[in-house]
């Protein structure tokens, strides 16, 4: 493995150290820090010329700092003539902000009134019926609610990752499977379920009397899969909006 270099950002250096030990190689030397104005500083001490570089950086903790640091690490390796750059992100940053996982759409009957009042800044105008203005404004279609102007931060991060110079992405349990379609580079997904099952069996005393709980409907499929393999009971937390401002929860 002489042509492999493993580098780590500041998100989880212990994980990178354990990966390097499992591979039988030393972790690449990299100096990470901040300038006085809090801009990220990255300096790679080892040569990466014509080598396959693995950059380990997760989207946990101080996510925004970690994302920018990751982009700079990728660019530094690209400028250092790395042969191939693989990004390893156990938790892909902004993965909960794809197009389909944005906040719930505004009710359609609110659209015309809200946009008209914001543009004309007057109460003299009569409200338009059932989103007529929104449907005709700049030729946009609503189809059940307003979403055209929602930011898609997750898609943006995917594009920036490629623009920085990444050649390959390894991620774990993406929040939304459609994310793979945002990339023009190879994406490999690793599933945590086997490790979770092994950890439950080895680390939790009396796990046979446990109940696996999914925090929402989106995680029900993963939770039931674990239940089936461990032969455990399953519970689901049902969430429902109340009045658009509060959220009620119930255990099913």
């Amino acid at each position: 493995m002489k042509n492999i270099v493993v580098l780590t950002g500041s998100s989880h250096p212990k994980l990178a150290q354990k990966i390097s030990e499992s591979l039988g190689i030393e972790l690449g030397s990299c100096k990470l820090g901040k300038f006085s104005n809090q801009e990220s500083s990255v300096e790679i001490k080892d040569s990466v010329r014509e080598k396959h570089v693995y950059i380990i950086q997760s989207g946990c903790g101080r996510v925004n700092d970690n994302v920018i640091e990751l982009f700079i690490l990728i660019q530094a390796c690209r400028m250092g003539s790395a042969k191939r750059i693989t990004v390893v992100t156990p938790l892909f940053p902004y993965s909960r902000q794809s197009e389909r996982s944005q906040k719930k759409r505004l009710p359609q009957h609110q659209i015309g009134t809200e946009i008209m009042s914001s543009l004309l800044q007057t109460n003299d105008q009569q409200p338009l019926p059932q989103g007529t203005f929104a449907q005709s404004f700049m030729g946009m279609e609503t189809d059940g609610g307003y979403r055209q102007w929602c930011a898609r931060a997750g898609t943006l991060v995917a594009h920036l990752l490629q623009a920085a110079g990444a050649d390959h992405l390894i991620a774990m349990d993406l929040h939304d499977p459609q994310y793979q379609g945002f990339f023009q580079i190879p994406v490999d997904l690793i599933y945590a379920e086997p490790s979770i099952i092994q950890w439950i069996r080895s680390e939790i005393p009396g796990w046979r009397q446990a109940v696996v709980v999914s925090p929402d409907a989106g995680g029900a499929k993963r939770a039931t899969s674990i239940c089936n393999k461990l032969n455990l009971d399953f519970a689901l937390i049902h969430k429902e909006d109340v009045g658009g401002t509060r959220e009620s929860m119930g255990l099913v």
Side-chain angles (χ1 to χ4, degrees):
M1 296 186 180
K2 61 180 181 179
N3 291 325
I4 292 179
V5 176
V6 177
L7 299 176
T8 180
S10 57
S11 65
H12 208 319
K14 290 183 179 180
L15 173 63
Q17 184 63 47
K18 289 185 177 181
I19 292 175
S20 296
E21 291 174 358
S22 298
L23 294 174
I25 61 177
E26 292 187 4
L27 186 64
S29 178
C30 184
K31 183 180 179 181
L32 307 172
K34 293 280 188 181
F35 292 110
S36 58
N37 61 355
Q38 296 305 303
E39 290 182 354
S40 296
S41 169
V42 173
E43 183 178 351
I44 300 175
K45 299 290 188 178
D46 297 331
S47 173
V48 296
R49 182 178 295 274
E50 293 299 317
K51 293 184 179 180
H52 189 164
V53 180
Y54 288 84
I55 302 176
I56 302 172
Q57 181 81 315
S58 191
C60 58
R62 303 177 65 177
V63 180
N64 294 330
D65 285 345
N66 292 341
V67 169
I68 295 299
E69 188 177 78
L70 174 60
F71 294 156
I72 298 176
L73 274 167
I74 296 171
Q75 183 63 203
C77 293
R78 181 60 63 198
M79 298 300 293
S81 301
K83 185 177 182 179
R84 184 176 175 84
I85 302 172
T86 296
V87 176
V88 181
T89 57
L91 175 60
F92 188 82
Y94 287 86
S95 61
R96 298 177 64 89
Q97 296 192 45
S98 61
E99 177 181 350
R100 291 172 56 185
S101 59
Q102 290 298 313
K103 282 196 170 184
K104 294 182 179 179
R105 306 173 186 178
L106 291 173
Q108 191 176 22
H109 68 273
Q110 296 179 4
I111 301 172
T113 304
E114 291 186 4
I115 299 181
M116 179 65 80
S117 61
S118 65
L119 291 177
L120 299 180
Q121 297 293 318
T122 178
N123 295 325
D124 297 334
Q125 302 293 328
Q126 295 295 325
L128 296 176
Q130 293 292 324
T132 303
F133 177 79
Q135 292 177 2
S136 61
F137 186 76
M138 295 181 65
M140 292 183 179
E141 297 292 336
T142 56
D143 290 336
Y146 169 74
R147 70 167 181 171
Q148 284 79 2
W149 294 342
C150 288
R152 295 174 183 138
T155 310
L156 174 62
V157 171
H159 292 166
L160 290 173
L161 193 70
Q162 296 172 97
D167 299 306
H168 181 206
L169 173 68
I170 299 176
M172 176 178 285
D173 284 330
L174 286 177
H175 181 72
D176 197 332
Q178 70 163 328
Y179 249 95
Q180 298 178 70
F182 298 158
F183 289 91
Q184 296 180 351
I185 60 176
V187 178
D188 287 326
L189 294 184
I190 300 175
Y191 297 96
E193 182 179 294
S195 298
I196 293 174
I197 292 174
Q198 181 181 357
W199 187 87
I200 291 174
R201 285 173 170 165
S202 62
E203 300 295 331
I204 299 181
W207 61 269
R208 296 183 186 277
Q209 286 73 46
V211 176
V212 178
V213 181
S214 173
D216 51 39
K221 184 177 180 181
R222 293 187 292 271
T224 53
S225 178
I226 293 175
C227 287
N228 292 336
K229 290 179 173 61
L230 293 175
N231 195 25
L232 297 177
D233 292 330
F234 167 74
L236 169 68
I237 296 178
H238 174 69
K239 298 179 181 179
E240 184 177 355
D241 285 340
V242 179
T245 57
R246 293 183 296 114
E247 192 177 70
S248 68
M249 302 174 61
L251 185 63
V252 179

